[in-house]
Amino acid sequence: MKTQALVVAHDPVYLNWLQNAVSGIEFSLVRPLDAEDLVQRVQAAGRVDLVLFEFDAAQMEARATLMERVLDRLPDVAVAAVGAEPHPDVVLAAMRAGARDFLVLRRDDDDLALAVSRLLRRSGPSAPAANGRPAPRGKLFTLTASHPHEDIAFTAAHLALALTASAPPPARVLLVDFATPAGAAAIFLNINQAYSVLDAVNDVFRCDQTLIDTAFSRHASGLYVLSLPEDLLGQPKIEAEDCLQLLQVLRSLFSVTVVAMDGHLPTDLLAGVIGQSDRTLWLTDQSILKSRHGKVLLRALRLADCPLEGAGILIDRYRRNLGLEPDNLAELLNLPVIGTLGGDPQVRMQAMNAGEPLSTLAPRDGFVSDIRAVASTLMAGEPQVDTAVGGGLLKRWFGG
């Protein structure tokens, strides 16, 4: 029996195009009155393997609603979008609605049959690889702190940039910023994102390579970025189960994922992400206030049976003899010290305001060399920064 595909479009040119370019599939043009009408047509056909929806700027919202309702009723049917032009807003609307791909009229006709074949083979983000082996898992590093602060996103962004610069191709790095202030990572990297991390959590069961290539923001360095919406008020409402599922999917699609979080997120979410992570960096400074609050949060995580074996302290804005020393912090928080971050606070603020990485704005700043040393330590699986090549302040602490 031939594979059945429906083409939901006003213009029959899409039907002619698909029939001429793809063999072995029986395409039928339909113009449904509404979602219920389309569902009834699919069910009446006996078996439909693929539904293609025409998308353009004039009717993208109506088409998106139609696609979503069909997927709610028929979640096992593969769906994709077709259009005359790949306008970013149109493509994004289609992907958010659940489209697995966006096929452009009379573009790449030689590859169209392969694209349709891929659509028919897909069965969701958790499907095993074609060879029966589990999908590869990239590394997951989490950076968190007891309270919201802009330095969480700033440090996580520079750690991700350092990992991007050092990772051999074709490795890809993703920064996922759940921390508040909302959207800080995107702001510090001068990215105007149209698709946020909350969108990705909501789309967890639709997340695949096509969605990443279409919707995820990307920095000039090659780093992919998902951040909270800049206009978010208060704390984000995130379902822990969906968030953890998303991270599992992303680990199969990226070589390295860096997650930024803060202690105002639900404890079960924090514990779940830390439990998935290869290493966790506990960002703190030398103040007694942050240290005591950090101790309280760590106690709650331990009571929740959160595994902290891969966690360690990263001391930000470190200055010798100006506050708690690394050994004091290690004893207070009952965690080892992984490294320290120095640098000029004024230069850091300039970089934040300019939306430029410190490695570009002030490549000789101490923060730049320190964060590179931390990145190298994480990728090498070492317990702490190698004092022979980085972390000068940590070196003095150890008496090197």
Side-chain angles (χ1 to χ4, degrees), residues 5 24 32 50 117 133 147 216 248 254 259 267 272 306 333 341-342 364:
L50 174 65
S117 178
R133 298 175 183 173
H147 281 281
F216 285 28
Q248 290 180 12
F254 286 91
V259 178
T267 303
C306 174
L333 300 178
L341 301 174
R364 295 186 178 181

Side-chain angles (χ1 to χ4, degrees), residues 260-310:
M261 309 186 82
D262 64 61
H264 282 191
L265 290 168
T267 303
D268 62 335
L269 176 56
L270 283 169
V273 176
I274 292 172
Q276 284 192 15
S277 301
D278 294 287
R279 298 290 295 277
T280 297
L281 300 173
W282 193 272
L283 190 70
T284 187
D285 59 20
Q286 295 170 272
S287 70
I288 189 64
L289 181 62
K290 285 186 180 177
S291 304
R292 290 178 67 159
H293 280 285
K295 183 177 181 179
V296 171
L297 179 55
L298 282 166
R299 183 189 302 123
L301 290 171
R302 290 183 172 109
L303 289 173
D305 295 324
C306 174
L308 294 169
E309 294 81 5

Side-chain angles (χ1 to χ4, degrees), residues 8 33 40 91 113 122 128 135 143 168 221 262 319 326 353 381 385 390 393:
V8 182
L33 299 174
Q40 290 178 1
V91 175
R122 287 174 183 166
L143 187 143
S221 64
D262 64 61
R319 293 294 183 271
N353 290 340
V385 170
L393 293 166

Side-chain angles (χ1 to χ4, degrees), residues 143 151-164 173 175 177 184-186 188-189 221 223 225 258 260 357 367 371:
L143 187 143
D151 285 325
I152 302 173
F154 185 83
T155 304
H158 281 77
L159 176 61
L161 288 170
L163 291 164
T164 301
V173 181
L175 170 62
D177 177 23
F188 295 155
L189 295 173
S221 64
L223 172 67
V225 179
V258 177
F367 181 93
I371 202 69

